[in-house]
């Protein structure tokens, strides 16, 4: 039986939509079918520049994409403040929803989106691409191995990039009416997801923002951090910033092993990605060096992680379309947990760095 | 003129004294001259096993080492609670003092030690060996470079090792009457020093312990962490633990550059050590990989870092002995700053994680 090809419509022409359009082209079970923008001219230019086939539908509004009965799924890279409206509408029109992160301004909004997807039987997935890299599965194997990693004790994550001064004036991620979560919703989202990933998605008991959150003139977070603690005593910290050189690290330490990765969100190279695994690391006899050193693990991939994301999403959508299956709950659950922690960090910042229960 | 050879006496036969005895042998301007233990038999065994020359003096007490007029300098690897007494006595006997870390139980004690060294004109240095590795100087060059690193924004450091259960019963570092600072004085000392190193030794404005400090049954810290913040808004966090796999990382992020090191306290190999330097790191055009990746810098060394420490210390001692120079203030100053931050972290833990001014 031929694979069902999921026909994508894209809402808006955000920069990130260029990368995802290519991913849809690369994924074997998905195809670029439509794009809509408030400007028909912009949509036309976008389609021409991003590999849309000549038969693709070019629309001058988001609604028109949702009204096209041949659109199976939408990719929504709109500013966060517009997610609630357009993701709910898409679900109501029975379109599967691939939603850029941060998925919503808060978990109450996200719950409305998830409820709309659930009641309309469509698949929901957020755009956290690194979840789909085969390296991530290999890292999970290591973290889950009681012999090599043991019990998780702590995680540290950091994701910063240096934004030029015009970013704080012009970029969506720096505008309070568009992306009110600022750096916390942008790079902080990934740090939180990485910490939850290492903790096997167990939610922390409480969260406390770290001293020194920085707001832009417009009142949007430019830098912040938080500490997290779980019932069993394991701890995590993260730092996210628009004010420091591009850095994206995760260090997860268990009783027996240590995982380190330097490019967890976007691997240095598209076709391979590495992580370092230390197992029962120890010194030589005189403590002048290490007897057991961390080893480097390289994982290759035939498709870039964003194409693997589209493939996974489209496979689930196809299964629903063809077989009447239920949507996969894993993906909305992960989005919701990430948003819950993010909301708690935001609340802690707003309450003068008080601890906040999750 | 032949180089002045500094004659070392060692107080006690701690495990770490084996490594430092070898370092004294390796340093061209130092020699193993005496060792004292409360047990003459133990001192004799130690001298035989650690390359002391046949002419070396073996004493059945620490006092006897200090009373030997031919001892120029002492290395003091005793438990922290004994540092005040023996370091002050050594200084009063005009011996230069190489003191293991943590240098004292608190800064008040340290000030008595430093005052004794100052008033007796002897050199003080703590045993933070990694300060003397040529890699450290190379890292400092990078951190100080406004073109490559820019302005420091954040530092994260972690140093943990997994102690078997008998460690918490038997090891000096787990006994409240011997090393009351526990992991904070042991691996935490190094994290604090690394953070200060990255901050060019500017003291933070305040310090706040992170949630989840863990105490042993005996009441000694087994795991803890803290966040630090400076007047200019830069921030740091560290985690130290006796309960998680051996890991020793520093990540320092500036506006332009990122420094990362995975083995900062004890390099993987004795003859070379590496760090990673990212400079104006950025993505490729479609954000599917990195256009500018961090580069690996390897620094070789002829002598292990502990021998370089002994050489530096002995050179200063020789300069005092030969030329009547003043002791070098850099080393006591660094010890004192480290102890000040350590005291603030301890105070924050004792005060229920309240912020503490430094």
């Amino acid at each position: 039986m031929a694979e069902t090809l999921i026909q994508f419509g894209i809402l808006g022409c955000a920069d990130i939509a260029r990368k995802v359009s290519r991913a849809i082209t690369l994924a074997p079970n998905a195809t670029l079918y439509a794009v809509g923008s408030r400007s028909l001219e912009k949509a036309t230019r976008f389609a021409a520049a991003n590999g849309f086939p000549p038969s693709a539908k070019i629309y001058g509004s988001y609604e028109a994409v949702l009204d096209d009965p041949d659109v199976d799924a939408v990719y929504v890279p709109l500013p966060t403040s517009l997610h609630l409206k357009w993701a709910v509408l898409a679900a109501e029109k029975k379109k599967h929803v691939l939603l850029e992160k941060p998925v919503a301004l808060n978990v109450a909004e996200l719950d409305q989106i998830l409820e709309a997807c659930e009641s309309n039987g469509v698949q929901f997935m957020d755009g956290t691409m690194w979840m789909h890299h085969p390296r991530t599965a290999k890292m999970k194997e290591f973290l889950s191995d009681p012999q090599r990693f043991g019990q998780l004790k702590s995680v540290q994550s950091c994701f910063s990039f240096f934004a030029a001064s015009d970013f704080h004036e012009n970029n969506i991620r720096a505008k309070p009416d568009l992306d009110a979560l600022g750096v916390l919703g942008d790079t902080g989202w990934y740090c939180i997801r990485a910490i939850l990933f290492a903790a096997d998605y167990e939610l922390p008991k409480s969260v406390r923002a770290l001293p020194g959150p920085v707001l832009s003139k417009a009142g949007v977070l430019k830098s912040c951090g938080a500490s997290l603690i779980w019932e069993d005593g394991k701890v995590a910290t993260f730092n996210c910033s628009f004010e420091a050189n591009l850095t994206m690290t995760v260090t997860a330490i268990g009783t027996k092993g240590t995982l380190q990765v330097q490019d967890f969100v976007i691997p240095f190279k598209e076709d391979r990605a590495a992580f370092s695994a230390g197992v029962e690391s120890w010194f030589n006899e005189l403590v002048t060096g290490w007897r057991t050193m961390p080893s480097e693990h390289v994982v290759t991939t035939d498709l870039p992680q964003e194409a693997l994301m589209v493939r996974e999403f489209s496979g689930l959508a196809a299964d629903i379309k063809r077989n009447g299956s239920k949507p996969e709950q894993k993906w909305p659950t992960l989005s919701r947990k990430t948003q819950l922690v993010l909301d708690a960090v935001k609340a802690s910042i707003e309450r003068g760095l008080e601890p906040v229960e999750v």
Side-chain angles (χ1 to χ4, degrees), chain A:
Chain A
M1 191 173 84
E3 196 162 26
T4 306
L5 211 58
I6 294 298
Q7 305 200 119
F8 268 84
I10 295 183
L11 302 194
C13 306
D15 259 0
I16 183 80
R18 297 161 53 228
K19 179 175 176 175
V20 174
S21 293
R22 173 171 171 267
I24 292 167
T25 304
L26 290 172
N29 56 352
T31 188
L32 286 169
Y33 178 80
V35 58
S37 165
R38 287 167 301 174
S39 149
L40 187 62
E41 191 205 331
K42 207 170 158 193
T44 306
R45 273 207 313 274
F46 183 88
N50 289 285
F52 280 65
S55 61
K57 304 293 175 66
I58 315 293
Y59 292 117
S61 74
Y62 308 143
E63 287 92 340
V65 177
L66 301 185
D67 284 333
D68 186 325
D70 292 326
V71 168
D72 296 309
V74 288
Y75 169 60
V76 185
L78 299 170
T80 313
S81 59
L82 303 178
H83 284 190
L84 176 60
K85 172 175 177 185
W86 292 104
V88 167
L89 264 178
E92 288 172 355
K93 300 281 187 175
K94 311 290 182 195
K95 311 304 185 194
H96 304 284
V97 178
L98 180 59
L99 186 59
E100 239 341 301
K101 42 60 47 190
V103 285
L105 292 174
N106 51 58
V107 80
E109 279 195 8
L110 177 59
D111 281 346
Q112 293 182 61
I113 295 171
L114 297 183
E115 161 56 26
C117 290
E118 176 77 17
S119 61
N120 287 286
V122 298
Q123 184 65 45
F124 174 92
M125 184 184 281
D126 72 44
T128 311
M129 299 167 178
W130 68 268
M131 300 301 297
H132 304 273
H133 197 291
R135 172 175 67 175
T136 304
K138 280 285 171 199
M139 294 195 296
K140 175 59 80 184
E141 266 178 37
F142 177 57
L143 293 167
S144 307
D145 187 336
Q147 300 308 316
R148 290 190 297 157
F149 190 76
Q151 185 194 347
L152 179 67
K153 301 299 280 184
S154 75
V155 192
Q156 293 86 42
S157 180
C158 177
F159 184 3
S160 62
F161 64 80
F162 188 81
S165 55
D166 69 332
F167 177 94
H168 299 295
E169 308 300 321
N170 301 322
N171 195 285
I172 284 168
R173 287 172 284 182
K175 299 222 173 194
D177 54 336
L178 295 175
D179 262 325
L181 300 173
V183 74
L184 181 59
D186 190 19
T187 67
W189 170 276
Y190 293 109
C191 296
I192 292 170
R193 176 63 64 86
I195 290 168
L196 288 172
F197 165 76
D200 204 20
Y201 301 112
E202 181 191 351
L203 282 172
K205 180 178 68 171
S206 82
V207 160
R208 185 174 206 168
L210 294 175
V214 180
L215 295 171
S216 71
K217 281 180 198 155
V220 169
L221 278 167
K222 293 200 292 185
S223 293
C224 67
S227 66
L228 295 74
I229 186 164
W230 280 257
E231 280 294 347
D232 70 354
K234 64 177 169 275
V235 294
T237 53
F238 75 87
N239 286 81
C240 55
S241 179
F242 287 152
E243 303 182 296
N245 185 52
L246 176 58
T247 306
M248 45 172 84
T249 66
V250 182
T251 302
I253 315 178
T255 47
K256 293 191 174 178
T258 304
L259 172 83
Q260 291 181 289
V261 54
Q262 308 300 341
D263 57 351
F264 77 102
V265 178
I266 297 176
F268 294 134
K269 301 284 183 193
E270 201 174 54
D271 62 346
R272 63 192 58 234
F275 65 94
S276 151
V279 177
E280 298 194 279
S281 310
W282 201 244
F283 302 117
N284 60 22
E285 203 271 333
L286 208 56
V287 195
T288 57
W290 296 41
R291 194 182 61 208
T292 42
M293 279 182 285
S295 57
E296 182 93 343
H297 298 255
V298 178
V299 182
T300 58
T301 181
D302 293 337
L303 285 175
Q305 59 183 8
E306 58 275 13
L308 296 172
M309 173 181 77
V310 169
R311 190 176 73 181
E312 171 75 12
F313 174 77
S314 299
L316 295 168
D319 200 32
I320 294 168
K321 183 176 180 177
R322 203 172 49 217
N323 307 324
S325 302
K326 291 273 185 201
E328 168 63 70
Q329 283 306 300
K330 173 185 172 185
W331 299 108
T333 302
L334 297 192
S335 305
R336 190 169 192 278
K337 286 182 173 183
T338 309
Q339 186 81 44
L340 273 173
V341 174
L342 194 156
D343 285 9
V345 175
K346 187 159 179 278
S348 178
I349 291 170
E350 288 165 357
R351 296 177 203 164
L353 316 184
E354 283 306 296
V356 172
E357 304 282 306
V358 178

